[in-house]
Structure formats: structure tokens, C-alpha cells
Amino acid sequence: GNSVTQMEGPVTLSEEAFLTINCTYTATGYPSLFWYVQYPGEGLQLLLKATKADDKGSNKGFEATYRKETTSFHLEKGSVQVSDSAVYFCALRYGGATNKLIFGTGTLLAVQP
Amino acid sequence: NAGVTQTPKFQVLKTGQSMTLQCAQDMNHNSMYWYRQDPGMGLRLIYYSASEGTTDKGEVPNGYNVSRLNKREFSLRLESAAPSQTSVYFCASSDEGLANEKLFFGSGTQLSVL
């Protein structure tokens, strides 16, 4: 079946540090892949997405590349800020005509000044 | 810009009580979804509705019912609440097609069942 596995947190970094959050998936076919972000007290927001192998999604300095050979979609940012502190969810779309998503368990990122 | 609006934001129930979580979107989306978020488990799909008048089960539908009242509104009902239903509930909506692969989420309802 379809599943998403992402690294457990929390991840604690100092401001301007490099960020990597690992995500791997299991799926039939080639699903679209996503990173969503949840700030404290809010719903999830789409951060970036990639729809096919070798695509790179990017937004707000974050990047992730769809790697079919390693079934991975790792999230990276070169220099994190305190305002990036949030929970990050990796997800894949399995829904056919609808946007049904399977989410990973989420990774809490805490950035210290 | 309202987007997806959920009510209530917080609710405490006793075991066996019933309640309905309300959700409305103003983006003219066809599809709507209910997810629950539990620690260490991410978000899991309870029910979804691909269009007005249709609903389908997701991963964890047991103990819940839904109603797609019209295109804007999608409610989730707990007929007899259980402690295992203590969770944060999120409603979401989306349009269809590869160009619209994005869910818009409400801010959530935190439900405690004692």
C-alpha cells in the first residue's frame, strides 16, 4: 500500500543553520509529493510540491527533489530562521480525481536565535 | 479572505455525547475532506466528498458520519463520542486536476472526550 515515512523530531537548530528533513515513500505508480507546514495554532499550508521524477519544488528558500530511484523527497533549506519553527509534513497524493493525501507523522522544527 | 472556516475551535464532551463539527469554504471547491491529527500519527483521512451530494469513507471512518449539505458546507458528526476520538480535527477543501493539487485547511477543532 501507499505510505510516507519521515524523520522523527524534534529537530533543534540555531538560526542560519542548514536544514534537512528526510522523507521516503512507498507507492504504486508515480504519485505527486508534497511538503506541508503547520505553524502553531494553525491549519496546514502547502509549502511545495513535485509532480514527477526529478522535479524540484521550491518556496520560501525551501527545496525538495522528487527522487524516484531512492523513493525520497527530502526537504532542505540553506539558512533557517526563527520564523521557520513549525511542524513539517511530507505527503503523497493517491486520490485519483480527488486530492486525497497520505501524510507522514510530521517533524517539529525549533529554530533558536 | 475566509478560506475554510471550522467551528467550534474547542470542545469537551463526555463519553456517549454527540456533536457536529461544522466546516464551510468560500472558494467554490468541489472536494472537501475531514482529517484527524493525532500525536505520532500525522493526519488521517476520515471522510471526503468529491462533489455536492457524494461522500466516501477514508482511512478511519468508524464512529463518524458526514453530510455534504451543499457545495460550501461539509459537516462531521460524532453520534456517541468515545475517548479514542479525542483529537484535533481538520477540514480541508480543494479543486481537481493536476493544476490544483493543493489542499486548503481550516484552523482545526480540538476535541476532548472524557
Side-chain angles (χ1 to χ4, degrees), chain B residues 7 20-25 30 32 34 48-49 51-55 65-77:
Chain B
T7 56
T20 299
L21 280 64
Q22 306 287 351
C23 175
Q25 52 93 7
N30 283 319
M32 297 186 72
W34 277 104
Y48 68 99
S49 169
S51 62
E52 183 179 351
T54 68
T55 61
N65 286 302
V66 291
S67 296
R68 184 73 183 268
L69 305 169
N70 48 55
K71 192 170 186 178
R72 289 188 65 247
E73 298 173 286
F74 188 40
S75 62
L76 178 72
R77 183 161 178 83

Side-chain angles (χ1 to χ4, degrees), chain B residues 12-79:
Chain B
V12 179
L13 294 177
K14 294 181 180 178
T15 298
Q17 287 185 315
S18 62
M19 80 160 294
T20 299
L21 280 64
Q22 306 287 351
C23 175
Q25 52 93 7
D26 63 1
M27 295 171 283
N28 202 37
H29 288 160
N30 283 319
S31 299
M32 297 186 72
Y33 314 80
W34 277 104
Y35 284 89
R36 59 177 289 173
Q37 182 181 26
D38 301 293
M41 302 192 74
L43 280 79
R44 292 178 292 167
L45 182 64
I46 305 171
Y47 270 93
Y48 68 99
S49 169
S51 62
E52 183 179 351
T54 68
T55 61
D56 284 289
K57 296 178 180 179
E59 301 172 67
V60 289
N62 291 344
Y64 306 95
N65 286 302
V66 291
S67 296
R68 184 73 183 268
L69 305 169
N70 48 55
K71 192 170 186 178
R72 289 188 65 247
E73 298 173 286
F74 188 40
S75 62
L76 178 72
R77 183 161 178 83
L78 287 69
E79 290 290 352

Side-chain angles (χ1 to χ4, degrees), chain A residues 32 34 36 38 41-44 46 49 51 89 93-94 97-101 103-105, chain B residues 31 33 35 37 40 42-43 45 48 50 90 94-96 98 100-103 105-107:
Chain A
S32 295
F34 306 83
Y36 277 80
Q38 183 181 30
E42 299 183 10
L44 282 70
L46 179 65
K49 73 173 191 179
T51 57
F89 291 91
R93 177 179 180 271
Y94 72 104
T98 60
N99 286 317
K100 294 188 293 185
L101 301 182
F103 287 89
T105 54
Chain B
S31 299
Y33 314 80
Y35 284 89
Q37 182 181 26
L43 280 79
L45 182 64
Y48 68 99
F90 287 100
S94 75
D95 225 326
E96 290 76 45
L98 283 178
N100 296 300
E101 288 185 305
K102 176 179 178 179
L103 293 186
F105 283 85
S107 57

